[in-house]
Amino acid sequence: MPTAPRRRAASPAPRAVRPRAARPRATPATASRRHPTAVAPSDDTRRRLLQAGIERVERHGLRALTVRGVAADAGVNLGSFVYHFGTRDAFAAEVIEQWYAPLMSRLQLTVDEAAPPLERLRAVLIQLLDFLLAHAGFIGHLLLDAAAGEPLARRFVVSMAGRHPQLVLRVITEAQRDGALPAKESPLHLLMFLMGAIGAPVLVLGAAARSGLMPDALAARMLPLAGDVRAVHRRVDWALRGLSQEI
């Protein structure tokens, strides 16, 4: 007599598997917490691009600031450039501000010191002129680009009227109130004199020499005087001493 087929035991129900919590993606912030001294790669790439931009403007001017050229100088791909800055104009604007910001920070600290106004004015003028000497190429190209109609250069040059000149005017006014500079003169007039006597030789002679407007023999004699740091500092002292005698 045939036997009934043996029934197979039912398989146990599968155990529920709890989903594993997703591991948070690493970000520059979390990376810096795990490795406080580490520099996030994206931050390093951004700095390299900005430094390459500053150096390119120093050599060739703002009009030579191309996306491909900057990326090649910095050793990064075009995608990284677009990721960090988006467009060439956004990058160029940040290059100018990154170049200029350290000067404004130093000047603001000097203006806010507790030293006598004339002493602070001398320090501010020397900081401005040292910056001018160190970045003569950048400044010269920026002014030429603005004169040629480069929109970003023009916008920045126009904006400068409300930046470091206002700090210089503030200290000039305080020196006038302190009796260290002639009170009868307009602070703006005094600023014009100081910039003409001290800053113009550096800018004008340098531009004339680079453009070929100055004979080589004359440029060889005058440019070292215009760009010598100690000579520039002496011109600052001469100008301030002359104004002090007008009181």
Side-chain angles (χ1 to χ4, degrees):
M1 178 175 179
T3 60
R6 184 178 298 175
R7 298 178 62 185
R8 297 179 60 185
S11 301
R15 295 177 59 187
V17 179
R18 297 178 60 184
R20 295 178 62 184
R23 180 178 297 178
R25 295 180 60 188
T27 65
T30 57
S32 63
R33 285 198 296 269
R34 290 197 296 268
H35 305 285
T37 59
V39 177
S42 61
D43 292 342
D44 180 63
T45 299
R46 185 182 184 85
R47 280 195 292 269
R48 283 161 52 199
L49 285 165
L50 288 169
Q51 185 58 38
I54 291 172
E55 292 173 1
R56 182 167 276 256
V57 176
E58 185 86 30
R59 294 192 306 267
H60 307 296
L62 199 60
R63 286 174 290 176
L65 203 64
T66 64
V67 174
R68 290 186 181 275
V70 170
D73 291 347
V76 304
N77 57 51
L78 296 178
S80 293
F81 182 97
V82 174
Y83 171 78
H84 285 287
F85 300 101
T87 66
R88 180 263 183 193
D89 284 353
F91 172 73
E94 190 159 347
V95 163
I96 296 174
E97 293 300 332
Q98 286 286 324
W99 164 77
Y100 182 74
L103 172 66
M104 279 297 292
S105 298
R106 289 195 298 270
L107 294 178
Q108 188 68 63
L109 289 173
T110 302
V111 168
D112 292 338
E113 288 178 355
L118 193 63
E119 184 178 325
R120 284 184 283 133
L121 177 59
R122 181 183 185 277
V124 164
L125 292 173
I126 285 177
Q127 287 172 342
L128 275 170
L129 291 162
D130 287 349
F131 185 83
L132 176 58
L133 291 173
H135 300 275
F138 195 110
I139 295 169
H141 282 303
L142 194 64
L143 294 176
L144 289 174
D145 288 341
E150 216 291 337
L152 287 172
R154 289 178 62 87
R155 193 179 309 142
F156 177 75
V157 170
V158 170
S159 77
M160 279 200 300
R163 301 193 187 202
H164 67 263
Q166 294 300 318
L167 296 178
V168 182
L169 285 170
R170 172 183 154 188
V171 188
I172 287 175
T173 302
E174 292 176 7
Q176 288 178 297
R177 292 172 182 165
D178 197 49
L181 290 177
K184 61 183 179 181
E185 295 292 344
S186 162
L188 185 59
H189 194 195
L190 296 180
L191 175 63
M192 290 169 57
F193 167 75
L194 290 170
M195 291 296 99
I198 304 167
V202 180
L203 283 174
V204 175
L205 292 177
R210 284 192 297 270
S211 62
L213 296 176
M214 182 182 295
D216 292 342
L218 185 59
R221 297 175 61 187
M222 297 188 70
L223 286 178
L225 290 173
D228 180 75
V229 173
R230 289 178 297 179
V232 170
H233 292 184
R234 285 201 301 273
R235 291 198 291 273
V236 171
D237 292 332
W238 292 344
L240 292 178
R241 192 177 306 125
L243 287 175
S244 297
Q245 293 176 359
E246 293 293 317
I247 299 173

